[in-house]
């Protein structure tokens, strides 16, 4: 399902997936919107790769409220970055 697809995309990008939790569901006239919160750790380029992969999934998924925080450690020579973001579908 959706969690599996995002988890696979995160692993392929080389990210450490630390959190995925369901959020609020909004009922609409024609469709419902499901929201999730997630956190990952990796390089900036790995996070960008994940966002690109999410954009390429067959289901429409919109990243929201993306927050990037630089970590103190490096990963393979690149600064490690923590990303907290929401997704809506």
């Amino acid at each position: 399902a959706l969690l599996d697809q995002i988890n696979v995309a995160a692993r392929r990008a080389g990210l450490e997936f630390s959190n995925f939790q369901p959020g609020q569901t909004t009922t609409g006239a024609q469709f419902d919107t499901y929201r999730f919160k997630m956190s990952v750790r990796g390089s900036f380029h790995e996070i960008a790769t994940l966002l690109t992969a999410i954009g390429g999934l067959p289901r429409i998924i919109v990243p929201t409220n993306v927050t990037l925080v630089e970590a103190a450690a490096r990963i393979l020579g690149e600064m490690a970055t923590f990303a907290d973001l929401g997704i809506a579908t």
Side-chain angles (χ1 to χ4, degrees):
L2 179 63
L3 175 57
D4 292 331
Q5 291 174 332
I6 293 174
N7 193 22
V8 167
R11 281 194 317 238
R12 285 184 180 159
L15 292 167
E16 181 181 317
F17 208 114
S18 61
N19 184 28
F20 190 93
Q21 60 187 20
Q24 229 174 359
T25 301
T26 306
T27 304
Q30 297 182 0
F31 58 87
D32 296 340
T33 301
Y34 299 91
R35 299 181 190 282
F36 302 89
K37 292 182 182 179
M38 57 188 281
S39 300
V40 294
R41 184 178 75 94
S43 72
F44 178 83
H45 291 92
E46 290 168 341
I47 294 167
T49 299
L50 173 63
L51 293 173
T52 300
I54 287 173
L57 292 174
R59 185 175 185 147
I60 296 173
I61 301 171
V62 180
T64 61
N65 302 322
V66 179
T67 303
L68 302 174
V69 177
E70 188 175 343
R74 290 184 171 266
I75 298 175
L76 298 176
E78 290 193 58
M79 288 305 297
T81 304
F82 294 101
D84 291 317
L85 62 138
I87 56 172
T89 185

